[in-house]
Every structure is written in C-alpha cells, then in structure tokens.
Amino acid sequence: MAITTKGFSAACSVRLILAIYHMHKIKLTVYPFNTPAVKAYKKNGFTKEGTFKNEVFYDGKWVDIDHYAIFQNDWYTSQNEYQ
C-alpha cells in the first residue's frame, strides 16, 4: 500500500492504518536525498532503522535507500505528547 501525504494528512494516514488494519509496525523506504519526505516522516514519529547502501540504480548512479519505521505504541505515545 502506498500513501503519499503531507502534514496533517500524514498523521491521519498513520492513525488510519494503525486503527483499521491493526498494524503493529509501519515500515517505509525513502531516498535519503528526499529531505521533505524524511522531515515529514520524522515529524510523524518514524525512526530510521537502517540504510541499504547502493540499493537502487537511480538517475545514472547507485544510491542508498533509508528504512524508517514506527511501532503502534510509539506513535500513540508521541501523539499524546502534543495533546
């Protein structure tokens, strides 16, 4: 399932996935140079779990892929901090 979102809708998407699908963990991959996406993921509580070096051939060169994830309990805890 791919979800492209920004700001408030990103938080709603995470909440929706956790609530409807009862997911324990949400994982995603992102190009490290996609700084707006990385910033949005971090803002919504995702943490970097690792980097796969030279994973994808993109725009004429091999580039890294970062892996981020958030656990259900961590996301709900982070949301309660702001309320």
Side-chain angles (χ1 to χ4, degrees):
M1 174 188 329
I3 297 176
T4 304
T5 60
K6 292 183 178 181
F8 177 74
S9 59
C12 290
S13 297
V14 171
R15 185 174 187 172
L16 182 68
I17 291 168
L18 294 173
I20 292 178
Y21 297 106
H22 305 289
M23 304 286 290
H24 171 68
K25 178 180 183 180
I26 299 174
K27 301 182 285 184
L28 59 87
T29 58
V30 63
Y31 293 119
F33 53 83
N34 187 350
T35 50
V38 171
K39 183 178 177 181
Y41 300 142
K42 287 181 177 180
K43 179 181 176 185
N44 283 284
F46 284 81
T47 56
K48 185 175 176 181
E49 291 195 324
T51 299
F52 285 13
K53 298 299 219 175
N54 296 318
E55 183 71 7
V56 177
F57 195 73
Y58 176 82
D59 201 23
K61 60 185 174 185
W62 289 99
V63 297
D64 300 345
I65 294 290
D66 287 343
H67 293 255
Y68 283 79
I70 189 166
F71 288 92
Q72 183 182 46
N73 291 341
D74 294 339
W75 189 81
Y76 284 118
T77 300
S78 72
Q79 296 305 301
N80 288 335
E81 292 173 2
Y82 298 108
Q83 295 177 5

